[in-house]
């Protein structure tokens, strides 16, 4: 009997099916994983930055230097950085970074798988949080992958780029880039900036203990910074030194010595540096931002060489405080404002810009932006300088007598409302006589006056003829302007007189060099021949008298200097602008809202401020006078200050003045204003008569042109010196006066009558 085959067991069949299904699912899962992984990697690779742009180009701090080449400020956005080569970084600092950040730096190819696994295990098991990034990966992370989000895609990109970086650069090159890129707190990026920020020295001069502090704060500068927590920073230093001993980089003795080093922090100096010359640096910052834009200024590593004289800056600041602070407290509800500008006339170099109030970077700068009424300080610029070009001399005589406007009112008025009569141009400037400034402008013409102001660098004038707000008015002679002028403009304008009539445009920036050492800008003097050199010399000779015996005596510094006071008609502005052969400086003061000051004038506080800083700045300079321009044909002659002619026999000694003249312009005639007149010896204000017991000849003045008294009866002070016209009333025996025979002939022979 044939036996039937046995049926397979059902359980085995089910088991086989399950195993088969598992294998199929596993295969599918593996294939899916491979596919997803490949897609994930492909996606990460697709979004990688191009390797051609990989070489890090970090933001580099721009530096501003003073006239001596010393660093006065640094400009950086969020990153203060000064790249240096690896050979300028101490080996101990390099070693410390490697010990703490990447011990296998010289062995791996960009990534360290064991370090990654060790960090992953510690993080998953709850151990201390560890990082697995190599120095190369950290460089990639900070230089290219700036997105802080920690994603797997970013980690893959980081690893791929790190490997590529290792193939393109050597280990020393990578280490150098890393040490110039790393953030070390307080805006310092790179070890050079950090060394300066924390210790005030270059990285090459760091001690072992200082190197250990910098490396110790690297994981969290905001937490470990010695400025934040010195004890914590010292603890981190100890850790770094211990690790360096363990790895054989230093000995126990070296570590102990470094551990014992006192910590000498430099202090956070950014604002301190800027505070040395905030207004000057603001002025420079404006210009380079306009020229190069913020990206290059704050990140391009520019070297900006300026004309700044720190001594001048400090002297002007101190002078302003000493003269003004007690009378006008800086913390008053409305503080008194003031601005000072100092320039070198021969070069136009701006030595200092100082203001009493500081409104932050790129704010208002009173020394540059305070366009205010210059008052009488404008007289030399628009009236007398053009007049001295050929119309007038310093000895030209004008009559300070009442003038009248179109309505018949007296205009202009002098400061003290008095009229002094016949006087020279020299004396008119020394005493700042308004009437004679207007008469002088009337002679030269308003258009000529405006032209001279433009030649001397006054760019803020409103010169459109017929405009409602034009400076084309007679008030120009008195500094009554639409907009006004700035201290910097005025310092440079008066520097024209000191520089033999050549105006040099003020300059603050001498040279700009990019981070590669290429000169991208170099200043060239912009010069304008504003007037004849003889005109400039004679003007200076006149303005010296303002300081020695005029309205600016408080500006006397004990050496040759020239200048002019200025006070606006409403007492809202007070000025002193003065110069020596070496420097020209302008001082302005006034309230921001242009409120009148209580009888403050330019010869008061502004002159005192000017004298104070000028004395300091000339301490080490030889005393020298203004030199006659080479080849200038100048001569001197004694003249009478009432006629402008050569001294005559009847000119009083007090009216004699020795004046400079361009040869050929000196007077040839003798004074005809002082005349002898016979008067009664007992009554010298009246003519002598035959009945006077004694007659004497005395000197009187005889005007070439009569004056008109003011409506209120005011006349020139020298009207009392005019020759009398009435006979002696004391010794006359007949009334009305009936002269004896021969009296008319006697009068005819008297040259004082006519």
């Amino acid at each position: 009997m044939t036996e039937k085959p046995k049926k397979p067991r059902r359980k085995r069949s089910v088991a086989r099916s399950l195993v088969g299904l598992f294998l199929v699912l596993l295969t599918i899962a593996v294939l899916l994983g491979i596919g997803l992984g490949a897609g994930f990697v492909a996606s990460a690779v697709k979004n990688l930055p191009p390797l051609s742009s990989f070489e890090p180009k970090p933001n580099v701090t721009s530096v501003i230097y003073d006239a001596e080449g010393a660093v006065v400020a640094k400009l950086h956005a969020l990153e203060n950085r000064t790249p240096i080569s690896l050979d300028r970084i101490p080996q101990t600092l390099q070693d410390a970074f490697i010990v703490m950040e990447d011990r296998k730096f010289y062995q791996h190819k960009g990534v360290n798988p064991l370090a990654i696994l060790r960090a992953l295990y510690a993080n998953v098991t709850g151990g201390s949080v560890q990082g697995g990034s190599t120095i190369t990966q950290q460089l990639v992370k900070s230089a290219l992958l700036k997105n802080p989000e920690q994603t797997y895609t970013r980690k893959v990109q980081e690893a791929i780029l790190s490997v590529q970086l290792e193939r393109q650069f050597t280990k020393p090159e990578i280490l150098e880039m890393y040490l110039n890129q790393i953030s070390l707190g307080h805006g310092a990026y790179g070890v050079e900036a950090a060394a300066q920020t924390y210790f005030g020295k270059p990285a090459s001069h760091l001690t072992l203990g200082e190197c250990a502090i910098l490396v110790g704060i690297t994981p969290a500068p905001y937490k470990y910074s010695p400025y934040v927590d010195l004890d914590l920073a010292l603890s981190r230093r100890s850790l770094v030194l211990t690790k360096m001993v363990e790895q054989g980089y230093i000995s126990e003795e070296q570590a102990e010595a470094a551990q014992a080093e006192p910590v000498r922090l430099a202090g956070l100096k950014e604002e301190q540096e800027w505070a040395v010359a905030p207004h000057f640096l603001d002025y420079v910052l404006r210009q380079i931002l306009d020229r190069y834009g913020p990206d290059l200024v704050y990140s391009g590593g520019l070297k900006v060489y300026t004309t700044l004289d720190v001594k001048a800056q400090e002297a002007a600041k101190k002078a302003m405080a000493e003269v003004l602070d007690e009378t006008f407290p800086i913390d008053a509800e409305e503080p008194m404002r003031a601005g000072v500008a100092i320039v070198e006339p021969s070069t136009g170099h701006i030595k200092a810009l100082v203001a009493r109030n500081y409104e932050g970077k790129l704010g208002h700068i009173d020394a540059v932006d305070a366009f205010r009424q210059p008052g009488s300080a404008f007289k030399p610029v628009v009236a007398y300088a053009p007049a001295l070009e050929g119309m007038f001399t310093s000895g030209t005589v004008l009559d300070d007598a009442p003038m009248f406007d179109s309505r018949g009112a007296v205009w202009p008025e002098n400061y003290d409302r008095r009229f002094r009569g016949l006087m020279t141009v020299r004396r008119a400037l020394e005493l700042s006589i308004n009437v004679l400034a207007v008469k002088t402008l009337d002679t030269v013409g308003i258009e000529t006056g405006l032209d001279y102001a433009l030649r001397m660098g006054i760019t803020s004038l409103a010169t459109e003829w017929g405009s409602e707000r034009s400076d084309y008015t007679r008030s120009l002679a008195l500094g009554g302007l639409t907009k006004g002028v700035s201290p910097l403009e005025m310092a440079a304008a008066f520097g024209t007189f000191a520089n033999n009539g050549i105006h040099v445009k003020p300059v603050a920036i001498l040279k700009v060099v990019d981070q590669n050492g290429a000169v991208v800008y170099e200043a060239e003097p912009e010069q304008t021949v504003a007037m004849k050199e003889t005109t400039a010399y004679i003007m200076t000779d006149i303005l010296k008298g303002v300081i020695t015996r005029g309205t600016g005596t408080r500006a006397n510094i004990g050496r040759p200097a020239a200048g002019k006071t200025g006070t606006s008609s409403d007492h809202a502005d007070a000025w002193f602008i003065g110069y020596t052969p070496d420097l020209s400086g302008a001082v302005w003061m006034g309230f921001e809202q242009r409120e009148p000051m209580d009888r403050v004038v330019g010869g008061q506080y502004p002159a005192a401020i000017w004298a104070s800083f000028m004395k300091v700045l000339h301490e080490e300079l030889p005393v020298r006078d203004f030199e006659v321009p080479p080849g200038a044909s100048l001569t001197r002659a004694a003249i009478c200050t009432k006629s402008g002619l050569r001294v005559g026999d009847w000119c009083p000694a007090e009216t004699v003045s020795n004046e400079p003249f361009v040869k050929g312009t000196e007077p040839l005639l003798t004074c005809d204003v002082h005349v002898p007149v016979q008067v009664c010896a007992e009554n010298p204000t009246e003519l002598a008569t035959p009945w006077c017991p004694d007659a004497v000849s005395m000197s009187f003045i005889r005007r070439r042109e009569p004056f008109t008294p003011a409506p209120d009866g005011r006349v020139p002070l020298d009207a009392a010196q005019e020759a009398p016209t009435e006979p002696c009333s004391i010794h006359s025996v007949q009334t009305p006066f009936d002269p004896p025979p021969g009296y008319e002939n006697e009068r005819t022979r008297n040259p004082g009558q006519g």
Side-chain angles (χ1 to χ4, degrees):
M1 182 174 173
T2 305
E3 190 177 83
K4 293 181 181 181
K6 295 181 180 178
K7 293 181 180 182
R9 295 180 180 176
R10 187 173 180 83
K11 288 183 180 181
R12 181 177 296 177
S13 177
V14 173
R16 287 178 177 177
S17 297
L18 290 174
V19 171
L21 178 60
F22 173 76
L23 292 174
V24 170
L25 292 175
L26 180 62
T27 302
I28 293 173
V30 171
L31 292 175
L32 286 174
I34 293 173
L36 289 172
F40 175 75
V41 172
S43 176
V45 172
K46 181 181 179 181
N47 296 319
L48 280 176
L51 193 60
S52 61
S53 66
F54 184 76
E55 184 172 358
K57 297 179 180 179
N59 293 336
V60 181
T61 299
S62 293
V63 181
I64 299 178
Y65 300 87
D66 68 9
E68 301 298 324
V71 176
V72 290
K74 295 181 178 181
L75 299 172
H76 53 84
L78 297 177
E79 299 185 8
N80 171 19
R81 188 192 313 276
T82 306
I84 57 174
S85 59
L86 192 64
D87 59 9
R88 292 171 57 195
I89 300 174
Q91 187 62 48
T92 52
L93 185 58
Q94 299 178 40
D95 294 341
F97 269 107
I98 289 173
V99 166
M100 297 300 294
E101 298 296 314
D102 188 359
R103 284 183 288 173
K104 299 293 184 180
F105 173 70
Y106 288 105
Q107 285 77 46
H108 63 66
K109 301 299 182 182
V111 293
N112 186 345
L114 291 178
I116 294 174
L117 290 175
R118 185 169 58 250
L120 179 62
Y121 175 79
N123 295 339
V124 169
T125 58
S128 60
V129 177
Q130 297 183 16
S133 296
T134 63
I135 282 178
T136 311
Q137 286 175 281
Q138 292 180 52
L139 177 59
V140 167
K141 192 185 327 181
S142 61
L144 279 183
L145 303 176
K146 295 181 183 271
N147 180 4
E149 185 179 354
Q150 297 289 338
T151 64
Y152 289 111
T153 300
R154 188 176 181 280
K155 284 293 185 184
V156 172
Q157 291 176 330
E158 184 182 297
I160 295 172
L161 288 172
S162 296
V163 172
Q164 291 178 331
L165 185 65
E166 291 272 353
R167 292 177 178 176
Q168 183 167 334
F169 297 99
T170 65
K171 289 288 187 179
E173 289 173 336
I174 293 172
L175 183 59
E176 178 181 303
M177 288 186 284
Y178 169 77
L179 294 177
N180 282 310
Q181 182 75 23
I182 189 171
S183 171
L184 290 165
H186 303 290
Y189 283 73
V191 295
E192 179 70 8
Q196 294 287 356
T197 297
Y198 290 102
F199 306 113
K201 62 173 70 174
S204 58
H205 293 174
L206 292 175
T207 65
L208 174 58
E210 290 166 344
C211 290
I213 286 179
L214 288 189
V215 175
I217 68 176
T218 301
Y222 58 88
K223 178 180 178 182
Y224 300 137
S225 164
Y227 289 123
V228 176
D229 190 331
L230 181 58
D231 290 338
L232 198 53
L234 294 177
S235 175
R236 294 288 301 174
R237 177 180 70 176
S238 179
L239 175 63
V240 172
L241 294 171
T242 299
K243 293 290 185 182
M244 292 184 75
V245 171
E246 291 176 356
Q247 297 297 317
Y249 285 98
I250 60 173
S251 66
E252 289 278 3
E253 291 75 18
Q254 288 175 304
E256 290 175 2
Q259 188 70 26
E261 287 179 15
V263 178
R264 296 184 176 90
L265 298 175
L268 296 174
K269 293 183 178 179
E270 179 185 1
E271 293 307 317
Q272 295 174 18
E273 288 177 348
W274 200 263
V276 170
H279 305 95
F280 184 95
L281 294 173
D282 278 7
Y283 184 64
V284 168
L285 182 58
R286 283 186 195 175
Q287 295 184 55
I288 58 177
L289 284 173
D290 288 344
R291 188 173 295 156
Y292 304 111
D295 289 344
L296 195 55
V297 167
Y298 289 111
S299 307
L302 299 177
K303 291 182 172 64
V304 184
Y305 296 90
T306 74
T307 60
L308 173 65
D309 184 332
V310 174
K311 181 180 179 181
Q313 191 79 19
E314 293 175 346
K317 182 179 179 181
K318 182 179 180 181
M320 194 180 291
E322 289 178 345
V323 174
L324 296 181
D325 281 1
E326 183 175 347
T327 307
F328 305 101
I330 195 68
D331 57 355
E333 185 174 347
E334 184 181 0
M336 177 67 69
R337 302 188 74 130
V340 170
I342 305 173
V343 301
E344 187 176 59
S346 60
T347 62
H349 292 180
I350 302 173
K351 296 298 182 179
L353 295 173
V354 179
R356 203 159 183 241
N357 295 37
Y358 183 57
E359 299 177 2
K361 290 181 181 178
L362 302 180
H364 179 93
I365 307 172
D366 280 337
V368 178
D369 304 323
F371 289 94
R372 306 290 290 240
Q373 303 303 307
S376 295
F378 221 43
K379 293 172 182 175
V381 175
V382 295
Y384 293 107
L388 288 172
E389 282 283 74
M391 297 181 183
F392 289 177
T393 69
S394 62
T396 296
V397 171
L398 302 170
D399 198 354
D400 179 22
M403 292 179 66
F404 305 92
D405 62 18
S406 58
R407 297 171 298 177
V410 174
W411 186 90
E413 289 280 9
N414 291 324
Y415 176 76
D416 57 3
R417 292 179 53 81
R418 294 191 296 173
F419 303 100
R420 288 169 174 78
L422 298 171
M423 66 173 58
T424 60
V425 164
R426 174 184 296 278
R427 197 59 179 153
L429 264 170
E430 288 176 350
L431 298 180
S432 199
I433 304 300
N434 291 339
V435 171
L436 300 189
V438 173
K439 284 187 175 182
T440 302
L441 182 65
D442 286 345
T443 302
V444 302
I446 295 173
E447 188 170 354
T448 300
L450 288 169
D451 179 56
Y452 270 75
L454 291 170
R455 294 188 204 180
M456 295 173 70
I458 306 298
T459 61
S460 52
L461 297 170
T463 58
E464 185 179 351
W465 167 253
S467 169
E468 183 180 351
R469 294 181 60 79
S470 173
D471 287 331
Y472 209 103
T473 70
R474 298 172 79 199
S475 296
L476 179 70
L478 308 179
L481 305 178
T482 301
K483 181 178 180 180
V485 293
S486 71
L488 180 57
E489 281 184 318
M490 292 299 282
F494 274 63
T496 306
F497 298 134
N499 196 38
N500 295 327
I502 298 174
H503 174 72
V504 185
K505 184 178 180 180
V507 59
I509 301 173
L510 295 176
K511 184 171 62 175
V512 179
V513 179
D514 67 17
Q515 63 175 309
N516 298 317
V519 177
V520 296
Y521 168 79
E522 192 158 14
E524 295 184 3
E526 295 186 36
Q527 300 181 343
T528 303
V529 178
M531 66 193 72
K532 299 174 186 175
E533 57 185 8
T534 51
T535 299
Y537 177 80
I538 292 173
M539 178 62 77
T540 295
D541 194 68
I542 295 171
L543 294 179
K544 287 166 68 176
V546 173
I547 293 177
T548 57
R549 61 176 188 166
T551 58
T553 54
R554 293 193 184 187
N556 197 323
I557 58 174
R559 64 167 65 205
K564 184 68 185 75
T565 56
T567 308
S568 62
S569 59
D570 58 1
H571 286 273
D573 301 285
W575 295 77
F576 185 82
I577 304 96
Y579 56 95
T580 67
D582 302 289
L583 295 171
S584 176
V587 181
W588 161 83
M589 62 181 290
F591 290 112
E592 182 177 3
Q593 301 304 320
R594 302 179 187 270
E595 298 173 0
M597 295 178 285
D598 185 17
R599 306 300 289 176
V600 172
V601 295
Q604 192 178 7
Y605 300 107
I609 292 171
W610 185 91
S612 179
F613 67 71
M614 278 293 193
K615 285 179 181 177
V616 173
L617 299 183
H618 286 80
E619 285 174 344
E620 299 178 3
L621 297 178
V623 176
R624 62 189 185 111
D625 204 346
F626 298 93
E627 297 180 358
V628 177
S633 54
L634 290 172
T635 187
R636 283 189 174 268
I639 66 161
C640 173
T641 59
K642 288 295 182 180
S643 67
L645 302 177
R646 288 187 177 273
V647 178
D649 293 338
W650 290 96
C651 296
E654 63 268 19
T655 66
V656 177
S657 178
N658 190 34
E659 296 294 334
F661 294 93
V662 176
K663 287 183 178 179
T665 66
E666 64 271 29
L668 301 177
L669 300 177
T670 302
C671 174
D672 61 354
V673 171
H674 283 107
V675 293
V677 177
Q678 279 196 335
V679 295
C680 175
E682 296 180 26
N683 184 21
T685 61
E686 295 180 345
L687 296 171
T689 72
W691 297 280
C692 293
D694 191 13
V696 294
S697 291
M698 295 182 63
S699 176
F700 291 91
I701 65 172
R702 181 178 57 193
R703 277 182 161 78
R704 299 186 183 107
E705 296 180 4
F707 62 83
T708 301
D712 57 7
R714 287 178 295 156
V715 297
L717 297 179
D718 66 357
Q721 301 173 26
E722 292 195 63
T725 59
E726 297 296 323
C728 179
S729 58
I730 298 176
H731 299 104
S732 175
V733 296
Q734 299 181 30
T735 305
F737 178 66
D738 184 14
Y743 179 71
E744 286 297 331
N745 292 335
E746 184 67 25
R747 288 191 64 196
T748 302
R749 288 196 298 272
N750 187 340
Q753 303 297 316

